[in-house]
Amino acid sequence: MSTDWVVTSASVIGLGADVIAQCTFAHASRRTNQSIAFGVLCGLIVTIGVLWETTTLTLEAAPAWLMVLLTYAALSFGFWAFLNLNLTSLRIRIIREMLHMEGGISRDDLMRRYSPEEFLRRRLERLEHSSKQLTRLESGRWGLRSRTLLSVAQIMGVARVIVMPPPRDE
Amino acid sequence: MSFILGKERPHLSSAVKGRIWSEPNIAGDMAVLLAGAVLLASSFLVQLVAWRVFRPRRQLRVLLTVYAIAPLLPCAVAWAAGYAFTFSAAEVVRIALFYVSFSLAYFVAHCAIDSGSPTLDIVVYVAEAGPSGRSDADLASAFGLSDMTNRFALVEHGGMMWSDRGVFQLTPAGRFYARLFEKASRVFGLPSGG
């Protein structure tokens, strides 16, 4: 394979390494968040490794390095989003469970099975223990522990203003 | 193999054996990066205009169409202006990979921007309370029945389930996605979420 093609495929090779590393870690350790982070890191190392073997990081090669690394970032974000859907999406959980229900499910059963209390409990549990964004204050109320997701929400708010048109007056 | 528009420019990489960077080709590599960036920017601009002119009901489907067709616009403009650029097959694939991967990442972000994230809404709601925080009762009243109803409506309007006399069933598309995520859960060692 020519050098041109190796550079072009570096990001895809990195994604492959990301996927394999995440699978291996997840099955070995049963720690989901750590497996995703491990996969991203391994993929990045492999991508840089492929580029390093093929080129040297100089000013001349910088645009190609930048393009390949940005492509890897986008590909690994896509992989993370796919995994995250499985982990956090209520819609995906509903359709997965409905797959095993003969005869479907009534609206009342749906509301009973996926109650608002359960919906909230799962999210608060993840925010407290998994992503560590919220914490119980001394008063027993919920407080902010980290500003990471808050910053993401603020960025999404700005993006919503830019991308989405203002609502029409009805 | 080169893709030539207009005046031909020598392409260095094919003339060099061994390491491609033995002769610097800054202009060529920068042109590749810029080509990818211009394609993305043009698709994004077309989408912004389209969203303000007509508000599509099935946004994802229209997004896919826009991002599939919009790259033709800057290519046509470059060709009409007589701009000459030559890319090797590998560079064209690199541009395509860059464009497709960023487009797909944008579609994911767009879905989150459009339908919102209950998790982020909870964080913002707690943050707004400041040091005093929010009680369990506050959260239960703020994120209750309407959120669940919205979530179910999204599944139904997304074409993944249909209802007949109050009983919900999966559509073929819903069954396909359900099986896909079941398999993914097994392969990637994921717990059931929701």
Side-chain angles (χ1 to χ4, degrees), chain A residues 11 21 43-44 57 63 101 104 107 110 123 148 168:
Chain A
S11 56
L44 181 64
L57 181 53
M101 291 175 190
R107 186 177 287 276
L110 203 58
R123 271 155 182 75
T148 310
R168 287 206 183 112

Side-chain angles (χ1 to χ4, degrees), chain B residues 60-79:
Chain B
L60 190 57
R61 207 166 281 185
V62 177
L63 258 184
L64 282 164
T65 309
V66 166
Y67 275 73
I69 294 173
L72 299 173
L73 191 63
C75 292
V77 167
W79 180 77

Side-chain angles (χ1 to χ4, degrees), chain A residues 12-53:
Chain A
V12 177
I13 295 169
L15 178 68
D18 180 352
V19 171
I20 292 169
Q22 187 278 325
C23 279
T24 309
F25 194 105
H27 286 287
S29 71
R30 301 269 173 228
R31 288 171 158 188
T32 311
N33 288 344
Q34 289 87 339
S35 72
I36 295 172
F38 180 72
V40 170
L41 190 60
C42 284
L44 181 64
I45 290 170
V46 167
T47 305
I48 292 173
V50 170
L51 283 173
W52 195 265
E53 281 301 305

Side-chain angles (χ1 to χ4, degrees), chain B residues 1-22:
Chain B
M1 186 168 75
S2 296
F3 292 88
I4 301 168
L5 290 177
K7 192 176 159 188
E8 190 164 341
R9 184 164 63 85
H11 186 72
L12 293 173
S13 62
S14 59
V16 176
K17 286 196 167 109
R19 291 175 76 84
I20 191 174
W21 312 120
S22 56

